[in-house]
Amino acid sequence: MSRSGRLALLGGGFSTDEDGLLDDWVLGHARAPRPKVCFLPTASGDAPAYIDRFLAAFRDRPDREPSVLRLFDRTLDDDALRRFVLAQDVLYVGGGNTANLLAVWRVHGVDRLLREAYGRGALLCGISAGANCWAEGSHTDSFGPLTFLPDGLGLLPGSVCPHYDSEAGRRRSYRSAVASGALPAGWALDDGTGALFTDGRLIETVSRVRGPSVYRVVRDDAGEVDERALPCRILSPPAGPA
């Protein structure tokens, strides 16, 4: 049964922020009150320290059920892998190398499983490479220097650029790629922001603090770039007991 597909682009989370605001925001959109949250650290080569950081942030919370999908030391056969992926409410993809991430997923058939999970209502999300992977193309340093990658799962129309405000050359290089047509129009995220989409349509943009933004970046009829900052709701910690 097909359901609305939802995905979130994250400019932060457990790996960069101590307050947990972006993680709490994205998990608040899960389909279950106590969601099963699977971390996919593929882009980092299943780095043990990255996995430990995820588990430290998620395993002691009673409102979530965390797990990790390791592909560099895979233990599940194809049938078990499909059952595992489709049982998850949230599939959370970590940062690292976008090009390597896509290649490894395709070898193991995880790309197909993620599309199936998306169609069944699971929430897909991720940071950096884990945001890039959902679109038709992205801005990346997968090959060393900053460049464009006209590849992705294509669940989100257009392109994605992470770290828009924090890495030298990102903004200029992404704008150039969109202006030249090397990448389609897309979404750029400052660190500390998030963007939620349903069936490819933007639903909400948020930020941990005032200042950072999410941008819509398009090529106009004259071949110039039009960059528009979108208003972001500022996240706040949940209220404590009175």
Side-chain angles (χ1 to χ4, degrees):
M1 178 178 177
S2 179
R3 301 180 182 177
S4 295
R6 295 171 302 147
L7 62 85
L9 311 178
L10 299 175
F14 72 89
S15 62
T16 59
D17 312 321
E18 297 296 330
D19 54 31
L21 290 175
L22 282 170
D23 289 335
D24 288 346
W25 166 72
V26 76
L27 294 185
H29 292 283
R31 61 189 173 190
R34 185 174 184 265
K36 295 180 178 179
V37 185
C38 178
F39 180 49
L40 287 76
T42 319
S44 69
D46 291 351
Y50 205 0
I51 294 170
D52 289 346
R53 203 162 182 179
F54 166 78
L55 293 174
F58 280 70
R59 65 185 162 199
D60 292 332
R61 292 284 299 265
D63 58 344
R64 57 198 66 170
E65 185 179 335
S67 61
V68 178
L69 177 57
R70 298 171 176 86
L71 294 177
F72 287 82
D73 186 21
R74 179 176 162 179
T75 59
L76 301 176
D77 65 19
D78 287 350
D79 289 340
L81 180 62
R82 180 175 181 270
R83 288 194 300 271
F84 175 78
V85 170
L86 296 184
Q88 305 305 313
D89 300 302
V90 179
L91 292 141
Y92 191 136
V93 182
N97 188 299
T98 306
N100 291 354
L101 163 72
L102 293 169
V104 173
W105 279 358
R106 286 166 179 154
V107 167
H108 291 271
V110 171
D111 60 324
R112 297 189 300 274
L113 297 179
L114 290 172
R115 288 191 180 94
E116 186 175 358
Y118 179 75
R120 289 173 174 235
L123 175 62
L124 311 182
C125 65
I127 178 175
S128 194
N132 282 349
C133 61
W134 311 120
E136 296 173 304
S138 63
H139 192 259
T140 180
D141 58 2
S142 292
F143 308 102
L146 291 170
T147 189
F148 59 89
L149 176 64
D151 190 17
L153 296 192
L155 296 174
L156 179 66
S159 62
V160 169
C161 179
H163 311 302
Y164 205 49
D165 63 338
S166 62
E167 294 186 358
R170 278 276 184 183
R171 188 180 229 115
R172 175 179 52 79
S173 181
Y174 180 59
R175 287 170 58 99
S176 176
V178 173
S180 70
L183 286 176
W187 311 93
L189 281 81
D190 288 342
D191 289 354
T193 64
L196 177 69
F197 299 82
T198 297
D199 294 334
R201 293 177 290 104
L202 181 67
I203 300 300
E204 185 179 25
T205 53
V206 299
S207 178
R208 292 174 53 245
V209 296
R210 296 190 183 280
S213 191
V214 175
Y215 303 85
R216 180 62 174 162
V217 182
V218 303
R219 180 184 180 185
D220 63 23
D221 293 339
E224 301 294 327
V225 169
D226 178 33
E227 176 186 293
R228 180 167 57 96
L230 305 176
C232 291
R233 179 171 66 87
I234 308 303
L235 299 174
S236 57

